[in-house]
């Protein structure tokens, strides 16, 4: 059995990166593979840059939307209308795979374990303006095959599933409504619901690079977008509650920790990029959930971050050597 794999490459005005992304997909040794390029009506030279590849390889399918749909709607259209594989992987047009055997290894895990819904691996982070790659050196405790509910609950401790390495069951993803929420963390909102009551595969090696630059949606600090992003936690929480993956009490604790963790990430970004917006964000958090607001506002960690945010060198050292999150802070300082 060799299931067909769709590597979906959504892109918009990424002529600088798109060739490298496609070549990294072409270099995969797995044979039953289609490469779906979903161009969201780019106005740069994206097509001209990759035209020779489209004409050369039969397994490349290029689609250009007649109007710009936006990031998440383009994800959705590519998955539901353009891709035809049993399995799918979303590789943004500025990211790339580095392990040519990854798809083959991930598919093998699927075939050997029919109850697995998703397989993922580790990725490195390229800070684009510094041309610096930060590799994932964390010691991961995940097994080759894991309980999806346990992986779900581990998100509250900072675990996550890398979007660019996630190979998943396409039909089931569409069944549960993948990429229906137009928010920054649409990928996590989809993934968290996908893995509930399922099995998840993990390949413990770095297989791709996520490019971090000024245009990343994850770097947005617009207050409205930040507050809308709480949807990914709320939807996952209600889905887990409905499916009774654990007690109501434990899921409430998961929700609280997830929201606090998310808000802290944005607080740090605001402190570095636009500190005058901090008070606006805090007011928005208070309106959203007073308990979470007071938990953050009177937390010693908040005051330490606020005090030392002006000393970027110290903050960088803390994130690199203590928190082990160099990739998070590197593009902010």
């Amino acid at each position: 059995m060799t299931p067909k794999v769709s590597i979906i490459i959504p892109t918009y005005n990424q002529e600088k990166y798109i060739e490298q992304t496609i070549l990294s997909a072409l270099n995969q040794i797995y044979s039953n593979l289609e490469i779906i390029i979903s161009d969201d009506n780019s106005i740069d030279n994206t097509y001209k840059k990759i035209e020779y590849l489209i004409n050369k390889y039969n397994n490349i399918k290029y689609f250009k939307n007649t109007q710009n749909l936006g990031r998440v709607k383009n994800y959705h259209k590519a998955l539901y209308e353009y891709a035809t594989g049993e399995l799918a992987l979303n590789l943004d047009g500025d990211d790339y795979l580095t392990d040519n055997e990854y798809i083959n290894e991930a598919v093998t895990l699927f075939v050997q374990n029919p109850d697995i819904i998703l397989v993922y691996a580790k990725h490195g982070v390229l800070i684009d303006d510094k041309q610096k790659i930060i590799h994932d050196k964390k010691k991961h405790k995940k097994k080759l095959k894991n309980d999806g509910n346990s992986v779900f609950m581990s998100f509250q401790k900072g675990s996550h599933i890398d979007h660019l390495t996630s190979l998943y069951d396409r039909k089931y993803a569409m069944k549960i409504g993948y990429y229906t929420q137009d928010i920054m963390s649409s990928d996590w909102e989809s993934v968290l619901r996908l893995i509930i009551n399922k099995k998840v595969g993990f390949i413990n090696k770095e297989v791709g690079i996520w490019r971090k630059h000024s245009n990343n949606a994850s770097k947005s600090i617009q207050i409205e977008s930040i507050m809308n992003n709480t949807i990914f936690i709320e939807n996952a929480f209600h889905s887990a509650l409905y499916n009774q993956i654990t007690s109501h009490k434990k899921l409430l604790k998961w929700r609280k920790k997830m929201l606090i963790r998310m808000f802290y990430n944005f607080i740090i970004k605001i402190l570095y990029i636009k500190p005058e917006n901090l008070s606006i964000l805090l007011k928005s958090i208070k309106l959203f959930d007073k308990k979470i607001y007071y938990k953050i506002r009177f937390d010693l960690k908040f005051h330490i971050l606020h005090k030392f945010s002006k000393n970027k060198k110290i903050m960088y050292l803390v994130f690199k050597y203590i928190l082990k999150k160099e990739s998070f802070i590197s593009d902010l300082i």
Side-chain angles (χ1 to χ4, degrees):
M1 177 184 176
T2 55
K4 187 177 184 180
V5 172
S6 299
I7 295 184
I8 301 169
I9 303 177
T11 186
Y12 176 68
N13 288 348
Q14 292 172 322
E15 62 173 310
K16 183 179 178 181
Y17 311 114
I18 188 68
E19 183 180 21
Q20 181 182 25
T21 303
I22 296 171
L23 288 173
S24 77
L26 286 168
N27 286 336
Q28 291 295 308
I29 64 170
Y30 189 73
S31 58
N32 194 7
L33 183 73
E34 67 174 7
I35 298 171
I36 304 295
I37 303 167
S38 185
D39 186 342
D40 198 20
N41 199 25
S42 294
I43 56 175
D44 65 356
N45 292 315
T46 290
Y47 182 78
K48 289 183 179 179
K49 188 77 174 180
I50 61 175
E51 185 178 11
Y52 80 98
L53 292 172
I54 296 169
N55 292 331
K56 184 177 180 180
Y57 295 96
N58 294 328
N59 63 334
I60 296 179
K61 300 176 183 178
Y62 174 84
F63 301 90
K64 185 170 184 177
N65 299 330
T66 56
Q67 61 181 2
N68 182 263
L69 302 176
R71 181 178 64 95
V72 177
K73 289 182 180 180
N74 191 30
Y75 285 176
H76 187 279
K77 191 174 185 68
L79 178 68
Y80 288 71
E81 299 182 28
Y82 300 153
T84 61
E86 286 84 18
L87 303 173
L89 180 144
N90 191 308
L91 184 64
D92 284 347
D94 52 356
D95 302 330
Y96 56 96
L97 298 171
T98 55
D99 188 318
N100 297 341
E101 298 180 352
Y102 176 57
I103 297 297
N104 190 60
E105 288 184 36
V107 170
T108 299
L109 199 52
F110 268 105
V111 172
Q112 294 175 350
N113 301 273
D115 53 346
I116 282 181
I117 200 69
L118 174 148
V119 175
Y120 72 107
K122 299 192 293 185
H123 76 274
V125 178
L126 170 60
I127 309 301
D128 195 51
D129 59 349
K130 300 175 184 177
Q131 285 301 294
K132 176 182 180 181
I133 294 179
I134 300 170
H135 298 284
D136 185 349
K137 296 179 181 179
K138 290 182 181 178
K139 293 182 179 180
H140 291 259
K141 296 181 180 180
K142 295 288 189 300
K143 301 176 183 178
L144 198 62
K145 181 179 177 181
N146 304 273
D147 175 65
N149 294 342
S150 295
V151 176
F152 180 102
M153 295 301 293
S154 72
F155 266 61
Q156 66 181 311
K157 299 177 181 179
S159 295
H160 61 277
I161 293 177
D162 300 331
H163 190 214
L164 76 94
T165 71
S166 297
L167 184 67
Y168 54 87
D169 184 311
R170 189 176 71 90
K171 288 185 178 179
Y172 186 72
M174 291 189 294
K175 181 180 178 181
I176 67 159
Y178 232 59
Y179 301 139
T180 54
Q181 295 295 331
D182 194 1
I183 56 177
M184 284 182 281
S185 297
S186 179
D187 52 343
W188 281 1
E189 191 275 342
S190 297
V191 162
L192 283 167
R193 291 187 295 105
L194 182 82
I195 65 176
I196 288 175
N197 291 336
K198 300 292 181 180
K199 298 297 181 182
V200 176
F202 175 64
I203 296 176
N204 193 12
K205 63 177 179 177
E206 186 178 291
V207 303
I209 295 293
W210 177 44
R211 193 184 304 269
K212 248 186 162 182
H213 50 74
S214 59
N215 293 327
N216 285 131
S218 59
K219 198 173 179 179
S220 172
I221 55 169
Q222 294 180 4
I223 304 301
E224 184 178 359
S225 295
I226 292 172
M227 299 312 299
N228 283 342
N229 203 50
T230 58
I231 290 172
F232 100 83
I233 296 170
E234 301 289 42
N235 284 3
F237 165 73
H238 287 292
S239 184
L241 198 62
Y242 176 80
N243 286 281
Q244 300 179 334
I245 71 170
T246 188
S247 70
H248 191 185
K249 184 178 180 180
K250 287 182 179 179
L251 284 172
L252 283 172
K253 186 177 180 180
W254 178 92
R255 174 188 177 273
K256 181 179 179 180
K257 286 188 174 183
M258 288 288 289
L259 286 166
I260 290 173
R261 182 179 291 276
M262 187 201 80
F263 285 133
Y264 261 123
N265 283 343
F266 287 114
I267 286 170
I268 293 167
K269 290 178 181 180
I270 282 177
L271 285 171
Y272 275 108
I273 300 170
K274 208 168 184 179
E276 62 271 20
N277 278 1
L278 179 60
S279 61
I280 302 173
L281 175 59
L282 291 173
K283 287 178 182 178
S284 298
I285 295 172
K286 189 175 183 179
L287 287 171
F288 174 76
D289 191 313
K290 286 185 179 180
K291 289 183 179 179
I292 288 175
Y293 165 78
Y294 287 119
K295 176 67 177 176
I296 293 172
R297 193 67 183 83
F298 297 106
D299 186 3
L300 179 61
K301 183 168 67 173
F302 173 80
H303 295 283
I304 291 173
L305 285 170
H306 194 273
K307 182 177 180 179
F308 288 102
S309 62
K310 295 179 182 178
N311 192 323
K312 295 186 177 182
K313 186 174 182 180
I314 290 178
M315 288 298 290
Y316 175 78
L317 294 174
V318 168
F319 273 82
K320 181 176 181 179
Y321 296 108
I322 299 177
L323 301 179
K324 307 295 184 183
K325 290 187 175 182
E326 184 184 5
S327 63
F328 176 82
I329 202 74
S330 286
D331 64 334
L332 298 177
I333 62 176

